[in-house]
Amino acid sequence: MRTIRVETSAATILLTEAPEPKVRDRQSGEIAKDAVSGEALMTLGVVYIEEGESSLIKVTVPESGVSEGLALGAPVSLPGLIARPWESVFNGQQRHGIAFRAAAVTPAAFPAAMGASA
């Protein structure tokens, strides 16, 4: 399936849910692993704000990409953010959506206010 690079330079991204292990199988509690590296995956929630519009999204990152110093409500950076459309059939019902994945999640700074001088 095709992946789409997400340009984040003009966006403000705020952490809304702390990173936690991504569960592959809810019944067994198995943690999801990267198909290539075998590294454990983490999910986190962010609000993505750009051009006056916002969206709450879940992002998957490798465990090694989770930086220290993350705080809820604080701005973060998501280097290498991609979007991947998906679809599946679950209990006979067709489902679809967009999965987001980044190489890392790191603390960031709030953007400077428009027209403000230093």
Side-chain angles (χ1 to χ4, degrees):
M1 177 106 2
R2 179 159 168 73
T3 60
I4 303 160
R5 277 182 259 141
V6 179
E7 173 57 49
T8 61
S9 62
T12 299
I13 305 169
L14 305 176
L15 186 66
T16 58
E17 294 178 35
E20 58 185 41
K22 182 175 183 172
V23 178
R24 177 185 171 100
D25 183 333
R26 294 185 195 277
Q27 292 193 359
S28 71
E30 178 187 358
I31 301 301
K33 307 262 188 213
D34 182 270
V36 176
S37 70
E39 184 175 3
L41 297 174
M42 307 289 282
T43 59
L44 55 110
V46 298
V47 61
Y48 185 96
I49 307 165
E50 187 175 22
E51 296 181 3
E53 294 188 18
S54 64
S55 297
L56 288 170
I57 61 172
K58 291 276 193 179
V59 180
T60 299
V61 296
E63 189 172 30
S64 64
V66 177
S67 296
E68 295 292 322
L70 298 174
L72 291 180
V76 293
S77 175
L78 296 169
L81 182 63
I82 60 167
R84 178 176 295 147
W86 62 268
E87 62 181 49
S88 67
V89 176
F90 184 73
N91 287 337
Q93 294 202 4
Q94 180 111 13
R95 300 179 60 183
H96 62 277
I98 300 173
F100 293 92
R101 179 144 180 190
V105 56
T106 60
F110 280 107
M114 297 286 290
S117 60

